[in-house]
Amino acid sequence: MEKEIKLDKNVSIYWIRQDLRLYDNPALKAAVNNGAIVPIYILDDINSGEHKLGSASRIWLYHSLEKLNKQFKNKLHFFNADPLQVISEICESEKINKVYWNRVYEPWCIQRDKKIKEILNLKGIETNSFNGSLLWEPWEVLKNDGTPYRVFTPYYRRGCLNAVEPRIPTKAPQKIQYYDLQKIKSSDIESLNLLPTHNWKNKIIKKWNVGEKAAEQRLEEFISFELNGYKEGRNFPNKKNVSRLSPHLHWGEISPNTIWHKISNLQHLEINNFEDTDTFLSEMGWREFSHYLLFYFPDLPRKNLQKKFDNFSWDNNSLFLKAWKSGLTGYPIIDAGMRELWSTGYMHNRLRMIVGSFLVKNLLLHWHEGEKWFWDCLVDADLASNSAGWQWIAGCGADAAPYFRIFNPITQGLRFDPNGDYTRRYIPEISMLPNKFLFNPWDAPNEVLKESNIKLGETYPKPIVDIKISRAKALSTFAKLKIS
Ligand code: FAD
């Protein structure tokens, strides 16, 4: 006869989600304080619906989980199933009655977690959730009348900066006790099938150091060498003034609190230029604002926040979309951005704005197309920041770029890549062009094209749309909707 397992009050499940770290991890800390833990990761392709992880996210996740598993002394259990079923089975079979997790604020996760909580609680299983990924939870920052902010500056300056100070980071647990599952069989990381079969994975991951240690190092390097000059430098894709912390933040390899307090302390010590630290902290504020918007407007990924955009007649040109995705539009700064994305899984923020504006306002393609492509290709793909970013670009968001703000790909190139180094890196076939024609090769005289080894239309495409005509078309289409 099988031995009856006694209900063990000192054992709990620690459910890992977007918190792939040990340092400053409130759910892990609480679970470890309670006693031994069973750390589990569940790939949930069932409840995520149309927000299943994209390809680049899966690659990052695979490598990050591998690292985390080592930090957990290879005690991590992996499942590829419905979390409610997995957690219920573990609790019932192993007689465990406590579960700990850090909250994720994506609408489908909130819905799923609510249901899990209710059902587990009914079975007498205690659930404990924590904030491990935001500086301020959405309900902590509201206007005086109790309604949510819709505009960034008052949200951040009046709301966040006057709210309770973000939690001071806590240490990683000194010692973790593990409980070995007796009855339930988990699988290894390979069972999650996270890596695609094509070669792309090897290419993008080489560009990154993944995991908690790497995230801490990235922050330290950024502070030591790149933060000075951030306010101006963050606009130039060839300058090393941005942190590239976004995928680490998305996956919770580092907490926003760790970053916030390190940078705020520098501000108090007046070590760095105030404008650089203040701008950097306000960019962290944009991350918060995106999550805030997604929380209060759960349709953000699919529906225009400004309803008047619902009647907009988007084009549906699949050849344009293909050219945009492949970095073959004939506009070098656009193509450089799109190729950066494809080859690194990342795109500089300035480029996200330029290529986004081009897709929506010159090609007149729906912002959903851009949002979907970014979702699949970005290693930092984040439902809140991606949806809010695209709504901002399209002009239909809460606090968005006005519709008549259409980025000119030639002047943007000249201004933000003045030496052309960024563009040449991603479009080698036009690298011999002199700066004067780098962003508008079609204006180059034949002899210049010949000397630069370029046959327009053969070695590099001619522009797929005329920038002036397409701009005018966009303006008149927007104007017809009486958007102001
Ligand atoms: P830094 O300049 O070093 O900023 C530090 C941190 O602040 C970033 O890591 C990020 O967490 C946050 N941040 C900075 N700018 C923004 C912003 N505009 N909105 C929200 N948070 C910001 N960011 C994502 O993390 N995931 C996405 O899927 C995403 N999609 C985007 C789509 C579009 C169309 C646009 C315009 C922006 C998008 N962003 C997204 C925001 C921004 O481009 C990236 O966060 C930033 O480029 C990441 O690089 P970094 O870490 O070097 O940023």
Side-chain angles (χ1 to χ4, degrees):
M1 223 176 76
E2 250 182 282
K3 218 169 74 184
E4 175 76 11
I5 299 171
K6 281 226 181 94
L7 188 115
D8 196 334
K9 286 209 170 64
N10 296 324
V11 177
S12 69
I13 293 175
Y14 164 50
W15 179 15
I16 297 162
R17 295 127 64 92
Q18 286 178 23
D19 48 345
L20 310 181
R21 64 175 187 273
L22 304 190
Y23 185 77
D24 191 35
N25 184 329
L28 175 64
K29 187 175 178 228
V32 168
N33 283 345
N34 173 70
I37 62 163
V38 180
I40 62 171
Y41 182 83
I42 310 169
L43 179 69
D44 185 359
D45 279 338
I46 295 167
N47 296 289
S48 46
E50 59 175 335
H51 303 305
K52 283 187 186 50
L53 294 176
S55 309
S57 297
R58 285 172 192 262
I59 295 168
W60 188 285
L61 176 62
Y62 175 89
H63 291 279
S64 194
L65 282 173
E66 252 195 336
K67 294 257 163 78
L68 190 71
N69 197 17
K70 286 198 183 121
Q71 291 176 276
F72 275 119
K73 309 228 174 342
N74 293 318
K75 294 285 187 186
L76 239 169
H77 300 275
F78 298 96
F79 300 89
N80 190 348
D82 182 15
L84 174 60
Q85 194 188 336
V86 171
I87 295 172
S88 302
E89 274 177 26
I90 300 179
C91 286
E92 279 161 28
S93 309
E94 309 282 339
K95 308 277 185 241
I96 293 173
N97 70 349
K98 276 185 189 169
V99 188
Y100 291 82
W101 68 72
N102 287 311
R103 290 190 273 280
V104 174
Y105 301 81
E106 293 173 17
W108 71 269
C109 294
I110 294 178
Q111 219 178 340
R112 177 197 64 186
D113 296 348
K114 248 186 182 169
K115 187 173 142 201
I116 293 179
K117 222 172 187 173
E118 272 168 27
I119 296 178
L120 292 183
N121 291 168
L122 280 176
K123 292 180 183 178
I125 298 161
E126 186 184 307
T127 52
N128 303 279
S129 68
F130 299 82
N131 170 17
S133 63
L134 291 180
L135 297 169
W136 299 276
E137 292 193 288
W139 48 89
E140 289 172 357
V141 182
L142 291 168
K143 290 195 282 189
N144 287 341
D145 64 2
T147 60
Y149 288 94
R150 290 176 72 107
V151 179
F152 173 72
T153 304
Y155 159 78
Y156 177 66
R157 300 271 169 207
R158 206 180 303 150
C160 298
L161 296 185
N162 287 316
V164 176
E165 205 194 15
R167 185 193 68 247
I168 304 279
T170 54
K171 289 195 174 116
Q174 282 198 326
K175 195 171 180 302
I176 301 177
Q177 253 187 299
Y178 298 97
Y179 175 82
D180 291 325
L181 293 178
Q182 312 287 316
K183 296 193 167 180
I184 296 279
K185 268 205 159 168
S186 59
S187 309
D188 64 7
I189 189 170
E190 303 305 331
S191 71
L192 305 183
N193 285 322
L194 290 168
L195 295 179
T197 45
H198 50 74
N199 216 7
W200 183 43
K201 62 174 185 260
N202 303 320
K203 255 173 66 188
I204 68 163
I205 211 64
K206 275 187 199 152
K207 307 279 189 328
W208 296 93
N209 289 322
V210 179
E212 183 173 12
K213 277 263 139 19
E216 285 165 7
Q217 271 168 11
R218 182 80 283 278
L219 176 61
E220 291 308 325
E221 279 168 20
F222 173 67
I223 288 174
S224 306
F225 307 112
E226 299 155 10
L227 176 59
N228 261 334
Y230 177 80
K231 183 173 185 241
E232 284 304 314
R234 65 180 287 272
N235 285 306
F236 296 83
N238 206 44
K239 287 195 177 173
K240 286 197 159 183
N241 281 119
V242 288
S243 70
R244 290 175 190 258
L245 282 164
S246 50
H248 300 293
L249 267 166
H250 172 77
W251 287 110
E253 295 173 352
I254 192 162
S255 74
N257 303 62
T258 302
I259 301 175
W260 179 268
H261 284 288
K262 282 231 159 160
I263 305 285
S264 303
N265 286 344
L266 294 174
Q267 204 169 46
H268 296 140
L269 295 170
E270 296 181 12
I271 291 173
N272 293 74
N273 182 330
F274 177 83
E275 293 201 327
D276 290 330
T277 48
D278 188 56
T279 308
F280 184 79
L281 292 177
S282 80
E283 292 306 318
M284 295 290 294
W286 272 103
R287 176 180 180 273
E288 295 289 313
F289 188 52
S290 304
H291 283 83
Y292 183 84
L293 288 177
L294 183 60
F295 182 82
Y296 285 110
F297 305 101
D299 287 332
L300 188 76
R302 284 292 159 262
K303 292 197 180 155
N304 302 314
L305 280 191
Q306 295 184 41
K307 295 290 163 239
K308 56 193 172 189
F309 279 78
D310 290 354
N311 299 325
F312 193 84
S313 59
W314 300 101
D315 267 1
N316 192 15
N317 187 323
S318 58
L319 289 178
F320 281 0
L321 182 59
K322 194 171 171 204
W324 181 79
K325 287 180 179 176
S326 323
L328 291 170
T329 65
Y331 285 97
I333 195 72
I334 306 290
D335 295 340
M338 297 310 293
R339 293 191 204 180
E340 179 186 23
L341 175 62
W342 183 248
S343 58
T344 68
Y346 173 89
M347 193 195 291
H348 188 278
N349 183 59
R350 169 64 40 186
L351 270 300
R352 294 188 205 208
M353 296 195 291
I354 305 174
V355 305
S357 168
F358 187 77
L359 180 90
V360 172
K361 295 178 180 173
N362 293 105
L363 301 183
L364 285 181
L365 296 175
H366 202 298
W367 61 268
H368 287 172
E369 298 294 350
E371 187 267 339
K372 278 191 271 178
W373 186 243
F374 273 28
W375 180 256
D376 199 38
C377 297
L378 282 171
V379 285
D380 65 19
D382 181 273
L383 196 61
S385 299
N386 198 30
S387 314
W390 278 100
Q391 292 239 13
W392 185 88
I393 284 293
C396 54
D399 181 5
Y403 78 92
F404 49 81
R405 184 163 175 208
I406 301 180
F407 288 80
N408 179 314
I410 301 143
T411 49
Q412 289 284 313
L414 287 167
R415 188 160 165 214
F416 294 111
D417 189 22
N419 299 324
D421 295 336
Y422 171 82
T423 303
R424 287 191 175 88
R425 186 174 337 131
Y426 290 105
I427 318 189
E429 65 266 35
I430 60 165
S431 62
M432 286 164 72
L433 265 179
N435 280 0
K436 189 175 170 198
F437 299 112
L438 187 64
F439 301 104
N440 50 336
W442 59 91
D443 285 335
N446 281 340
E447 60 274 21
V448 173
L449 288 174
K450 205 167 165 200
E451 276 165 24
S452 310
N453 262 339
I454 297 171
K455 282 190 185 159
L456 270 190
E458 288 180 37
T459 56
Y460 182 70
K462 292 179 181 165
I464 56 170
V465 285
D466 179 286
I467 207 72
K468 283 194 186 131
I469 297 173
S470 59
R471 182 176 192 277
K473 188 176 168 192
L475 288 177
S476 75
T477 317
F478 279 113
K480 267 186 223 147
L481 286 176
K482 295 203 171 38
I483 291 165
S484 57

